Amino acid sequence: MAAAIAGAVAAALLLPLLWPAVAVSAAGEGRRLHTLFSVECGDYFDWQAVGLLHSLRKAGQPGGVTRLLSCAPDQLASYRGLRIGHTLQVPSYSRHPRTGDWYPAINKPAGVVHWLEHSPEADNVDWVVILDADQIVRGPIIPWELGAEKGKPVAAYYGYLKGCDNILAQLHTAHPEFCDKVGGILIMHIDDLRALAPLWLSKTEEVRQDKSHWSTNITGDIYGMGWISEMYGYSFGAAEVGLRHKINDDIMIYPGYTPRIGTEPLILHYGLPFKVGNWSFSKLEHHEDGIVYDCNRLFPPPPFPREVEVMESDPNVKRALYLSIECINTLNEGLLLHHTSVGCPKPQWSKYLSFLKSKRFSELTKPKYWNSLKVENKLTVQHVALSKSRHPKIHTLFSTECSSYFDWQTVGLMHSFRISGQPGNITRLLSCTDEELKNYKGRDLAPTHYVPSMNRHPLTGDWYPAINKPAAVLHWINHVQTDAEFIVILDADMIMRGPITPWEYGAKLGHPVSTPYDYLIGCDNILAKIHTRNPSACEKVGGVIIMHIDDLRRFAMLWLHKSEEVRADKDHYATNITGDIYASGWISEMYGYSFAAAELNLRHIIKSDILIYPGYVPLPGVNYKVFHYGLRFGVGDWSFDKADWRNADIVNTCWAKFPEPPDPSAITKGDQNARERDLLSIECGKALNKALYLHHKRRNCPRLSTTIGSISKKIEEVLTSNKSERVTQRSSTTTIGRNVEPMDVTRQQAVERATDTVSRVHGSKRLARSSKMWIFAVWAISVVVFLLVISMFFSDRRRSASRSRASRSQKAHNLTMKQTV
């Protein structure tokens, strides 16, 4: 092991010396390559630099690498990291020397300008790769293999730079039509960089000073603080000099995102938090972390590959998890080698260290090479061509709360999302109080954005959990950077049957897609006149929403405010005004959505072929994409109502599931409409149980036994045992106009017994196991006691026999003596 570490350290120290030779031999005329990245003086950038430099060596990146170190004179005296990699010290622009503005991001263009003007390296290169410090490189980045040309740099797509399409670009560049939404990695010819760099710096200063246009709706900056001015400085500077980017959307990925099928990203950009199971990592949590200088200390290890293997069944989602652990493992490997190179003592053995030094890890992280044969299919020139050659990015959201009720719905939706073919990623918006979160067990059920709970309104004290949906969407918009162009918003009580895409249904800016909610009669009466200035634009929609990100940014705040406004209007809760059968303001959030959309004059494309409630008769020939099981439905004697399972911890009870629906073969072939309706209802019920089964399997629940396997049967018996208790019928069929026969309702007592059965069955299993142990112990003790008694009995017999023989011998001896005398 010591020899292996010594060899690795020697390789780490020798590779920088060999890079120039490698570059000369590997690159022909005009192919001299150099890599740059910018950092500041501080522990935060030091551990990032160690990780990036190690990954570049590991990837076999040709040419030299220079760290552009921005330090103020008073920082240098105490700075510990001067020996981390090949470094060029550049003046710090964190505090602008002329304006006094504090903006550290400007150090990147300022450092590049300084390198071009003062480093002899800049006179001996043809191509430059510019990276960020918080990146891990997985394979060599070769400009000519990625399609870079003089005048046509290669870069990654940054779709959230919306200022390229509005007044921001018109103000800050003479050629707004050339503005490209790019960043992350920049690959360009040295002549292009010389022309661009001064403008990159000056345009950054210009945008940074334009505070009147910092707002989120103009820049896309979620903080509205001009923090991404440097990115716009680059795009506007490139537009000024006429650079037309080849935009590559597959070369770089954020850990936690799912890669496109068939792609192998070369760069992992860990700028956002990411997680794998219960493990997570966020670079911001290590802002003051001196881990580089703490011998043998590493970041908390992620799950091992074999643990990831059983976490996820979807192969592409599993790839995303592997990329996440590869990122942090490579970072830790770099720290380990750095500690060894500076003379730290040999670390204590651990399973994780053994893995980092194993052949298995070496195989998993060997360099990835870009397939140049696919370049033409992956590259598009500038954003205009980009929009024509590929579909826009999508992100899916759904809102839940910290409860077992929403957990089983989450399991169902997440499973259906994975098999539906829905493009893009999905995020659960989880509304929880701090107290609820302490004891919450469902953190690993979905990629999650945590938001404060609005169940109890912080200002009015009103109890209205439905308001969490608009509040959570607003929180996500304000706290998460996304490059998605369209957002799909679902409810937790849905099952996806296929992809829901803007291009299939025609969604576009100003025209969201949604499904009809005809019972929102308030759009036609005084309610709309009170709560929107544009009542004629009020549309009766809900359920599934597909909206352009720019519309959602304008809309989210108003959605929340209108929901609060309608909820406070108790004078108009009546059923004949709202259509709410409970007349309790329960659908205020739905009206909040419709009224806010009307206020902004968003005109919906209303599609009736996206969503169906199980129990409804489907339209002929329609392939619905979503089941919305918000209402009771059933087939024959079997029925399902989500409200019956509000208090049942189905997710955390091994192998628990819902009563199985009938087999499709049992459906009669009489009425075709009824048959189609029943088949969809059965499909929905089976989909929920399949999702639960796979969830329990991933949780490594013990193998199914007769006892555990009878859980659902016992639940079903409880739910159907006392039909005399079924005395009420649900009236929503007449309210919403469902084309389905009314069904009996199993009321709360039966449900409570069903819920208790889940825990009783598992309790009885534990009790049975405990009883068996006691029986075995008593049996063993009985055998031991029996053997002891038998042993004592035979020992006593042997002693008695010995005494008898001794007595007879004595008598014979006495008789002989008498005869002799």
Side-chain angles (χ1 to χ4, degrees):
M1 187 67 75
I5 294 176
V9 173
L13 294 174
L14 287 174
L15 268 173
L17 302 176
L18 296 175
W19 275 356
V22 172
V24 170
S25 62
E29 183 67 26
R31 292 192 169 187
R32 296 169 298 175
L33 181 60
H34 202 88
T35 303
L36 303 175
F37 68 100
S38 175
V39 300
E40 300 161 38
C41 281
D43 295 341
Y44 179 57
F45 281 99
D46 286 353
W47 61 258
Q48 294 178 44
V50 166
L52 176 59
L53 288 167
H54 168 64
S55 71
L56 285 164
R57 289 190 288 265
K58 192 179 178 80
Q61 176 71 4
V65 179
T66 298
R67 179 179 67 143
L68 305 177
L69 179 65
S70 301
C71 276
D74 59 336
Q75 293 177 300
L76 279 173
S78 59
Y79 180 57
R80 299 182 285 179
L82 287 173
R83 296 185 179 182
I84 296 176
H86 173 63
T87 300
L88 175 67
Q89 294 181 37
V90 301
S92 174
Y93 265 59
S94 294
R95 178 75 65 190
H96 197 282
R98 187 175 66 256
T99 66
D101 177 39
W102 177 261
Y103 183 55
I106 203 173
N107 283 311
K108 186 174 181 179
V112 171
V113 169
H114 188 89
W115 178 78
L116 286 168
E117 293 177 350
H118 296 92
S119 174
E121 297 165 346
D123 298 326
N124 295 286
V125 294
D126 302 298
W127 294 94
V128 179
V129 176
I130 302 177
L131 302 173
D132 288 336
D134 57 345
Q135 293 177 340
I136 294 295
V137 177
R138 307 177 69 230
I141 303 165
I142 313 297
W144 43 95
E145 289 186 1
L146 289 162
E149 303 174 52
K150 190 173 182 179
K152 295 179 180 179
V154 169
Y157 181 59
Y158 271 15
Y160 58 85
L161 296 178
K162 58 195 296 182
C164 275
D165 302 327
N166 59 35
I167 191 174
L168 199 67
Q170 295 166 14
L171 288 172
H172 295 290
T173 174
H175 299 285
E177 71 278 9
F178 294 162
C179 183
D180 293 334
K181 303 173 183 177
V182 294
I185 175 174
L186 308 170
I187 308 169
M188 67 179 64
H189 194 276
I190 186 67
D191 293 344
D192 293 334
L193 186 59
R194 290 189 187 281
L196 166 68
L199 278 169
W200 183 2
L201 177 58
S202 64
K203 289 293 179 183
T204 299
E205 294 171 320
E206 190 179 302
V207 176
R208 179 67 183 171
Q209 292 170 27
D210 185 11
K211 295 185 179 181
S212 60
H213 294 97
W214 277 6
S215 60
T216 302
N217 65 321
I218 294 177
T219 63
D221 179 1
I222 60 173
Y223 303 106
M225 297 296 292
W227 200 250
I228 57 176
S229 299
E230 173 271 318
M231 298 181 188
Y232 280 114
Y234 176 86
S235 291
F236 295 159
E240 283 291 286
V241 297
L243 298 181
R244 313 301 299 274
H245 289 84
K246 293 187 175 182
I247 303 173
N248 190 312
D249 203 19
D250 295 322
I251 191 173
M252 185 184 81
I253 193 170
Y254 288 89
Y257 281 41
T258 301
R260 298 181 199 272
I261 295 174
T263 64
E264 194 68 77
L266 295 183
I267 297 170
L268 305 176
H269 191 178
Y270 55 93
L272 302 173
F274 59 100
K275 64 181 295 184
V276 179
N278 292 322
W279 174 92
S280 64
F281 181 83
S282 172
K283 69 172 188 176
L284 293 178
E285 294 177 356
H286 301 277
H287 204 278
E288 306 295 332
D289 196 336
I291 194 169
V292 167
Y293 308 104
D294 292 349
C295 275
N296 300 322
R297 185 164 71 85
L298 307 178
F299 293 114
F304 289 101
R306 65 175 179 274
E307 295 172 320
V308 172
E309 181 68 29
V310 299
M311 285 182 182
E312 180 56 56
S313 58
D314 184 281
N316 212 39
V317 177
K318 191 181 293 183
R319 279 187 68 217
L321 298 179
Y322 281 132
L323 289 174
S324 294
I325 65 171
E326 178 184 334
C327 177
I328 198 68
N329 284 335
T330 304
L331 190 53
N332 274 338
E333 184 185 36
L335 287 169
L336 181 65
L337 293 174
H338 173 78
H339 290 154
T340 305
S341 70
V342 297
C344 287
K346 182 180 178 181
Q348 289 186 348
W349 182 91
S350 71
K351 189 176 179 182
Y352 180 60
L353 288 184
S354 179
F355 168 70
L356 290 183
K357 298 169 185 175
S358 68
K359 184 177 179 181
R360 165 75 169 152
F361 178 67
S362 179
E363 283 293 317
L364 290 172
T365 57
K366 63 184 179 182
K368 310 298 186 292
Y369 297 95
W370 190 258
N371 186 350
S372 59
L373 297 177
K374 295 183 179 179
V375 166
E376 294 304 318
N377 297 327
K378 301 296 181 183
L379 296 174
T380 53
V381 181
Q382 75 168 26
H383 62 285
V384 176
L386 181 68
S387 64
K388 296 177 182 177
S389 63
R390 69 169 183 86
H391 291 309
K393 282 192 174 182
I394 305 174
H395 197 98
T396 303
L397 303 176
F398 68 102
S399 174
T400 71
E401 301 163 32
C402 277
S403 69
S404 57
Y405 178 58
F406 279 101
D407 284 355
W408 62 256
Q409 295 177 43
T410 297
V411 167
L413 177 57
M414 286 301 301
H415 171 66
S416 68
F417 173 86
R418 295 183 188 109
I419 64 175
S420 68
Q422 176 73 357
N425 295 309
I426 188 169
T427 297
R428 172 180 61 163
L429 307 177
L430 185 62
S431 302
C432 290
T433 64
D434 292 340
E435 197 60 36
E436 289 172 331
L437 207 53
K438 290 178 183 177
N439 303 313
Y440 181 59
K441 300 177 182 178
R443 293 173 184 258
D444 61 341
L445 297 179
T448 300
H449 175 72
Y450 296 93
V451 300
S453 174
M454 290 266 290
N455 282 352
R456 179 78 64 191
H457 197 283
L459 298 179
T460 66
D462 178 40
W463 178 262
Y464 183 53
I467 205 170
N468 280 313
K469 184 175 180 180
V473 170
L474 178 62
H475 193 277
W476 183 81
I477 282 288
N478 287 333
H479 291 83
V480 173
Q481 284 192 352
T482 179
D483 58 357
E485 295 177 48
F486 283 90
I487 306 299
V488 177
I489 302 176
L490 304 176
D491 288 337
D493 56 346
M494 291 181 174
I495 295 292
M496 297 183 68
R497 305 177 72 233
I500 305 165
T501 60
W503 51 89
E504 180 177 355
Y505 295 106
K508 54 187 176 181
L509 187 66
H511 293 277
V513 167
S514 193
T515 55
Y517 269 17
D518 293 333
Y519 58 89
L520 296 178
I521 60 176
C523 274
D524 301 328
N525 59 37
I526 192 174
L527 200 66
K529 295 175 182 178
I530 292 173
H531 294 291
T532 175
R533 294 171 295 178
N534 195 11
S536 62
C538 183
E539 294 172 321
K540 304 170 185 175
V541 294
V544 173
I545 300 162
I546 311 172
M547 186 176 288
H548 194 280
I549 186 66
D550 292 347
D551 288 335
L552 190 60
R553 292 189 195 282
R554 294 188 300 137
F555 170 74
M557 178 69 79
L558 201 55
W559 182 8
L560 175 60
H561 286 339
K562 289 295 179 183
S563 298
E564 293 171 319
E565 188 179 303
V566 177
R567 179 67 181 171
D569 184 11
K570 296 184 179 181
D571 292 340
H572 296 95
Y573 273 8
T575 302
N576 65 325
I577 294 177
T578 63
D580 179 1
I581 60 172
Y582 303 106
S584 61
W586 200 249
I587 57 176
S588 299
E589 172 271 317
M590 299 181 188
Y591 279 114
Y593 178 91
S594 292
F595 294 159
E599 200 78 0
L600 297 177
N601 203 31
L602 298 179
R603 308 313 296 259
H604 288 82
I605 299 168
I606 303 175
K607 294 288 187 178
S608 58
D609 58 349
I610 300 177
L611 175 149
I612 188 170
Y613 285 87
Y616 281 40
V617 173
L619 295 172
V622 173
N623 182 25
Y624 294 97
K625 299 297 180 69
V626 175
F627 287 135
H628 190 183
Y629 55 90
L631 304 171
R632 176 177 289 273
F633 62 98
V635 178
D637 292 334
W638 174 86
S639 67
F640 180 84
D641 188 337
K642 69 172 187 175
D644 289 348
W645 303 92
R646 185 172 292 276
N647 300 313
D649 194 1
I650 305 293
V651 167
N652 295 307
T653 305
C654 269
W655 305 117
K657 62 177 183 176
F658 302 114
E660 282 290 345
D663 191 272
S665 61
I667 304 301
T668 58
K669 298 182 179 180
D671 183 354
Q672 184 62 25
N673 285 339
R675 173 177 168 77
E676 294 296 328
R677 176 199 68 199
D678 291 348
L679 287 175
L680 290 177
S681 296
I682 291 170
E683 180 185 336
C684 182
K686 286 186 174 296
L688 281 170
N689 275 342
K690 178 65 178 297
L692 288 167
Y693 169 79
L694 293 174
H695 164 76
H696 294 312
K697 189 176 180 180
R698 282 195 297 271
R699 287 276 180 96
N700 294 320
C701 283
R703 292 177 65 84
L704 283 167
S705 67
T706 304
T707 306
I708 299 178
S710 66
I711 292 175
S712 57
K713 184 180 291 186
K714 294 197 175 188
I715 294 173
E716 201 164 351
E717 289 172 358
V718 172
L719 287 172
T720 58
S721 62
N722 193 355
K723 291 189 178 181
S724 64
E725 294 178 0
R726 302 179 178 184
V727 295
T728 59
Q729 293 182 345
R730 193 171 289 260
S731 59
S732 58
T733 55
T734 58
T735 303
I736 306 178
R738 292 177 62 188
N739 188 9
V740 62
E741 299 174 7
M743 291 175 288
D744 292 337
V745 179
T746 305
R747 299 320 306 162
Q748 191 63 29
Q749 287 182 336
V751 175
E752 289 174 355
R753 292 202 302 274
T755 305
D756 291 341
T757 300
V758 175
S759 57
R760 273 205 309 275
V761 169
H762 287 270
S764 63
K765 188 173 186 290
R766 288 191 295 271
L767 183 60
R769 190 184 298 116
S770 177
S771 299
K772 289 177 182 177
M773 293 297 293
W774 276 107
I775 291 170
F776 178 79
V778 170
W779 177 83
I781 292 171
S782 300
V783 170
V784 171
V785 170
F786 174 76
L787 292 174
L788 285 172
V789 170
I790 292 298
S791 175
M792 291 171 63
F793 174 77
F794 282 107
S795 296
D796 186 61
R797 290 286 301 272
R798 284 196 295 271
R799 285 195 296 272
S800 298
S802 297
R803 286 196 298 271
S804 177
R805 285 194 297 272
S807 176
R808 288 197 298 270
S809 297
Q810 184 65 37
K811 288 180 181 178
H813 177 71
N814 292 339
L815 180 60
T816 302
M817 289 295 295
K818 287 179 180 180
Q819 291 174 349
T820 304
V821 174

